Amino acid sequence: MELRRYQTSDVAALVAIYRDAVLGTGATAYSPQQVAAWATFPADLAVFGHQLAQGITLVALDEGQPVAFGQLHPVDHVAFLYTASRQGRRGYATAIYQQLEAAARQAGAPVLSTDASRLSKPFFLKMGFEVVGREEVERQGVLLERFGMRKTLGQ
């Protein structure tokens, strides 16, 4: 497994990973309408590319091809963590997360937060996060449940 920083040439591959993860595993926790609405993001490659260029975005490669990505932005928030459905449960998300947490610690962040889907909530619980709230967000007129989570990093 190889991890590297995001490159602007990755944007299309990361959109494909995002949508594949949502469509491939989303049906296990969300309705077909919720999955369809969730998968409409990101609509604009340039906007998404700009968003990925913020903070620290890491890309996991398998045989030179992107298979997972995660982002720390700002320095105390895991903004994205997605793995292609066919590559799930192979340690990519864990490896990315560990590097992002290490970067947050190095930057002196006292806590780390994320907004977790029903699918990612168990992963973040395993990483030591706790649920601090539940909310519903609207995408394309459809409500999606997610969980505010945080982890005290300490120093």
Side-chain angles (χ1 to χ4, degrees):
M1 173 187 326
E2 178 186 348
L3 291 181
R4 66 160 168 76
R5 295 290 289 255
Y6 165 75
Q7 300 168 1
T8 57
S9 60
D10 293 329
V11 69
L14 301 192
V15 167
I17 290 167
Y18 177 95
R19 289 195 177 135
D20 176 69
V22 170
L23 295 169
T25 58
T28 64
Y30 292 93
S31 74
Q33 296 81 8
Q34 289 172 315
V35 170
W38 189 5
T40 63
F41 178 83
D44 185 312
L45 288 182
V47 171
F48 191 55
H50 177 73
Q51 191 172 5
L52 292 170
Q54 306 300 305
I56 298 171
T57 302
L58 298 177
V59 178
L61 304 173
D62 181 38
E63 296 184 12
Q65 298 302 310
V67 295
F69 70 99
Q71 182 184 52
L72 185 68
H73 181 68
V75 73
D76 62 351
H77 185 78
V78 178
F80 293 107
L81 189 56
Y82 287 89
T83 302
S85 61
R86 69 188 181 288
Q87 300 293 339
R89 305 209 180 274
R90 295 187 184 177
Y92 295 111
T94 299
I96 291 168
Y97 170 76
Q98 289 171 340
Q99 292 294 313
L100 296 178
E101 181 180 312
R105 286 180 184 278
Q106 185 175 17
V111 297
L112 198 51
S113 68
T114 195
D115 297 308
S117 68
R118 290 179 193 159
L119 296 169
S120 63
K121 179 181 160 193
F123 172 84
F124 284 106
L125 288 170
K126 183 178 166 186
M127 295 298 118
F129 283 70
E130 63 181 343
V131 175
V132 294
R134 179 195 165 281
E135 67 178 348
E136 290 185 328
V137 294
E138 184 182 335
R139 293 270 167 101
Q140 303 289 313
V142 177
L143 295 178
L144 296 160
E145 179 183 49
R146 72 179 184 188
F147 302 88
M149 301 182 76
R150 63 183 279 150
K151 176 180 182 176
T152 301
L153 297 179
Q155 296 302 327

Coordinates of all heavy atoms in Angstrom, one line a residue, residues 1 3 60 68 83 87-98 123:
M1 N 0.9 -1.2 0.0 CA 0.0 0.0 0.0 C 0.9 1.2 0.0 O 1.9 1.3 0.7 CB -0.9 0.0 1.2 CG -1.7 1.3 1.4 SD -2.6 1.4 3.0 CE -3.1 -0.2 3.3
L3 N 0.7 5.5 0.3 CA 0.0 6.7 0.6 C 0.8 7.9 0.1 O 2.0 7.9 0.3 CB -0.2 6.9 2.1 CG -1.1 5.9 2.8 CD1 -1.2 6.3 4.3 CD2 -2.5 5.9 2.2
A60 N -4.6 6.8 -1.1 CA -4.0 5.4 -1.0 C -4.1 4.8 -2.4 O -5.1 5.0 -3.2 CB -4.8 4.5 -0.1
A68 N -8.5 4.9 -2.3 CA -9.1 5.5 -1.1 C -8.5 6.9 -0.9 O -7.4 7.2 -1.4 CB -8.8 4.6 0.1
T83 N -13.3 4.8 0.7 CA -12.6 3.7 0.0 C -13.5 3.2 -1.1 O -14.7 3.0 -0.8 CB -12.3 2.6 1.1 OG1 -11.5 3.2 2.1 CG2 -11.5 1.5 0.4
Q87 N -12.4 -2.3 -2.6 CA -11.2 -2.3 -1.9 C -11.4 -2.2 -0.3 O -10.5 -2.0 0.4 CB -10.3 -1.1 -2.3 CG -9.9 -1.1 -3.7 CD -9.0 -2.2 -4.1 OE1 -8.3 -2.8 -3.2 NE2 -9.0 -2.6 -5.4
G88 N -12.7 -2.3 0.1 CA -13.0 -2.2 1.5 C -12.4 -3.3 2.3 O -12.1 -4.4 1.9
R89 N -12.2 -2.9 3.6 CA -11.7 -3.8 4.6 C -10.3 -4.4 4.3 O -10.0 -5.5 4.6 CB -12.7 -5.0 4.8 CG -14.1 -4.5 5.2 CD -14.8 -5.4 6.1 NE -16.1 -4.9 6.4 CZ -16.4 -4.1 7.5 NH1 -15.4 -3.7 8.2 NH2 -17.6 -3.7 7.7
R90 N -9.5 -3.6 3.7 CA -8.1 -3.9 3.4 C -7.1 -3.0 4.1 O -5.9 -3.1 3.8 CB -7.9 -3.9 1.9 CG -8.7 -5.0 1.2 CD -8.3 -5.1 -0.3 NE -9.2 -6.0 -1.0 CZ -9.1 -6.2 -2.3 NH1 -8.2 -5.6 -3.0 NH2 -10.0 -7.1 -2.8
G91 N -7.6 -2.2 5.0 CA -6.7 -1.3 5.8 C -6.5 0.1 5.2 O -5.7 0.8 5.8
Y92 N -7.0 0.4 4.0 CA -6.7 1.7 3.4 C -7.2 2.8 4.3 O -6.5 3.8 4.6 CB -7.3 1.8 2.0 CG -6.7 0.9 1.0 CD1 -7.5 -0.2 0.5 CD2 -5.4 1.0 0.6 CE1 -6.9 -1.1 -0.4 CE2 -4.8 0.1 -0.3 CZ -5.6 -0.9 -0.8 OH -5.0 -1.8 -1.7
A93 N -8.5 2.8 4.8 CA -9.1 3.8 5.6 C -8.3 4.0 6.9 O -8.0 5.1 7.3 CB -10.5 3.6 5.8
T94 N -7.9 2.9 7.5 CA -7.2 2.9 8.7 C -5.8 3.6 8.5 O -5.4 4.4 9.3 CB -7.0 1.5 9.3 OG1 -8.3 0.9 9.6 CG2 -6.2 1.5 10.6
A95 N -5.1 3.2 7.5 CA -3.8 3.8 7.2 C -3.9 5.3 7.0 O -3.1 6.1 7.5 CB -3.1 3.1 6.0
I96 N -4.9 5.7 6.2 CA -5.1 7.1 5.9 C -5.4 7.8 7.2 O -4.9 8.9 7.6 CB -6.2 7.3 4.9 CG1 -5.7 6.9 3.5 CG2 -6.6 8.8 4.8 CD1 -6.8 6.8 2.5
Y97 N -6.4 7.3 8.0 CA -6.8 7.9 9.2 C -5.6 8.1 10.2 O -5.5 9.1 10.8 CB -7.9 7.1 9.9 CG -8.2 7.7 11.3 CD1 -8.8 8.9 11.4 CD2 -7.6 7.1 12.4 CE1 -9.0 9.5 12.7 CE2 -7.7 7.7 13.6 CZ -8.4 8.9 13.8 OH -8.4 9.5 15.0
Q98 N -4.8 7.1 10.3 CA -3.7 7.1 11.3 C -2.7 8.3 10.9 O -2.2 9.0 11.8 CB -3.0 5.8 11.3 CG -3.8 4.7 12.1 CD -3.2 3.4 12.0 OE1 -2.4 3.1 11.1 NE2 -3.6 2.5 12.9
F123 N -16.5 2.7 12.2 CA -15.1 2.9 12.0 C -14.5 3.9 13.0 O -13.5 3.7 13.7 CB -14.8 3.3 10.6 CG -13.4 3.7 10.4 CD1 -12.4 2.7 10.1 CD2 -13.0 5.0 10.4 CE1 -11.1 3.0 9.9 CE2 -11.6 5.3 10.3 CZ -10.7 4.4 10.0

